[in-house]
Amino acid sequence: MSGMLSSAVDGFTLAYDRDGDGPSVVLLHGWPGDRTDYRRLAPMLVERGFEVVVPDLRGFGESDKPLVDPAQYGVAGQGRSVVGLIEELGLERPVLAGYDVGSRIAQGIARSRPDLVRGMVVAPPLPGIGKRVFSEHAQAEFWYQAFHKLPVIEELIDGNPDAVRSYLRHFWTHWSGPAFEPELDHLVEVYSAPGAFTASINWYRAGAGSVATSAAETAPARYDRIGVPTVVLWPEFDPLFPRAWSDRLDDFFSDERLRFVDGVGHYAPLEYPEVLAEEIVGLG
């Protein structure tokens, strides 16, 4: 895997792929993944006449992973890097699409820089979860976010390919839908480099995971809701985010449409790329 490199923002350069001509789309990956999460979706969009930009986020893939304050890996820092890439490439009001970590970053950019964004297509996590994140069922799923804050991870997982494979296999099999077969060899390779796994979880160490975010959320005033046109795709078999948690989107967005996607799990661009492509084309 080799891509282009952005100019540095806050000392971070991003590796990215760019292909196609037409209206712009920026695709933001999740954890545990990298920009290859979009290997099925990106060609579909290029064929439909879009310019597609897919970065590795800070701390992932071939992007920079400096040993700095983990806060630099949170929503605001990640968003600054993506905004910097949009501006550097001269993208004209792209559609942002993302799931997992990438969904949170897209929402952060839509809130802070709505002038830059044509629209969003996002899968969970979404706001509105609130204190339900502390329910017994939710905590049985979100245990890993507390674990990721412990320094013992450096001893148990980081730089250990067998441990990385076992750990990633758990999430890619447990979070995916019943018909999905994960392909882990590439991710095991990139996440096994010394320091790479730890860099990938700095998102959680920055307090940007769903537990910390949901526990602290408050519904904004009506005038302060995200106003960018937004399509929310909610899968059927994501154990982290039950569909009942989609009930408060109106408290946080002023122009959103919710679409349930049946038969699939957490990994949006690999499990239902056709649906993503359809909705992105509709906004573009």
Side-chain angles (χ1 to χ4, degrees):
M1 182 176 69
S2 62
M4 295 168 276
L5 291 178
S6 72
S7 299
V9 175
D10 303 336
F12 292 81
T13 61
L14 300 187
Y16 66 95
D17 296 322
R18 184 183 192 185
D19 195 12
D21 293 296
S24 299
V25 181
V26 178
L27 306 176
L28 304 175
H29 67 79
W31 183 94
D34 66 5
R35 71 184 193 267
T36 67
D37 291 0
Y38 288 98
R39 60 188 177 271
R40 296 176 185 169
L41 176 60
M44 295 180 184
L45 295 172
V46 171
E47 290 173 2
R48 288 164 170 81
F50 282 79
E51 177 185 26
V52 182
V53 176
V54 194
D56 282 330
L57 299 168
R58 290 185 179 188
F60 293 88
E62 296 177 320
S63 291
D64 282 339
K65 308 171 180 65
L67 293 173
V68 295
D69 183 348
Q72 292 290 324
Y73 290 87
V75 174
Q78 296 279 9
R80 286 193 298 273
S81 282
V82 175
V83 166
L85 183 61
I86 290 170
E87 293 180 332
E88 178 182 352
L89 299 181
L91 305 183
E92 184 176 351
R93 298 186 68 232
V95 172
L96 302 182
Y99 80 105
D100 194 87
V101 168
S103 177
R104 291 279 193 206
I105 296 168
Q107 293 167 54
I109 295 170
R111 174 171 290 283
S112 65
R113 293 295 308 274
D115 57 300
L116 285 184
V117 180
R118 184 184 310 274
M120 282 195 298
V121 179
V122 290
L126 276 300
I129 298 170
K131 297 298 190 290
R132 290 179 289 190
V133 78
F134 293 123
S135 68
E136 182 178 358
H137 167 78
Q139 285 300 298
E141 297 293 344
F142 282 107
W143 59 269
Y144 68 97
Q145 297 194 1
F147 178 54
H148 284 176
K149 296 183 178 182
L150 301 178
V152 71
I153 281 177
E154 280 83 343
E155 299 177 36
L156 295 178
I157 299 177
D158 194 277
N160 181 337
D162 290 340
V164 168
R165 182 177 294 275
S166 294
Y167 197 64
L168 297 192
R169 184 189 300 117
H170 165 77
F171 296 104
W172 276 88
T173 54
H174 180 56
W175 291 353
S176 60
F180 185 70
E181 292 293 333
E183 305 165 24
L184 291 179
D185 287 350
H186 164 74
L187 290 179
V188 170
E189 180 181 355
V190 296
Y191 273 66
S192 294
F197 186 85
T198 299
S200 82
I201 61 171
N202 276 333
W203 170 261
Y204 304 98
R205 293 178 172 184
S210 286
V211 174
T213 301
S214 299
E217 75 182 12
T218 56
R222 183 179 298 274
Y223 65 82
D224 200 32
R225 296 172 184 170
I226 293 176
V228 169
T230 300
V231 177
V232 174
L233 302 175
W234 210 292
E236 181 179 8
F237 291 117
D238 187 340
L240 293 169
F241 302 105
R243 285 181 170 175
W245 287 2
S246 67
D247 59 344
R248 294 185 58 218
L249 294 175
D250 286 345
D251 291 341
F252 296 87
F253 298 87
S254 60
D255 184 6
E256 91 287 351
R257 175 168 57 84
L258 173 63
R259 177 176 176 178
F260 290 143
V261 187
D262 293 337
V264 294
H266 182 75
Y267 297 101
L270 290 169
E271 296 194 64
Y272 49 99
E274 298 87 355
V275 175
L276 276 163
E278 176 187 336
E279 296 294 354
I280 291 168
V281 169
L283 285 176

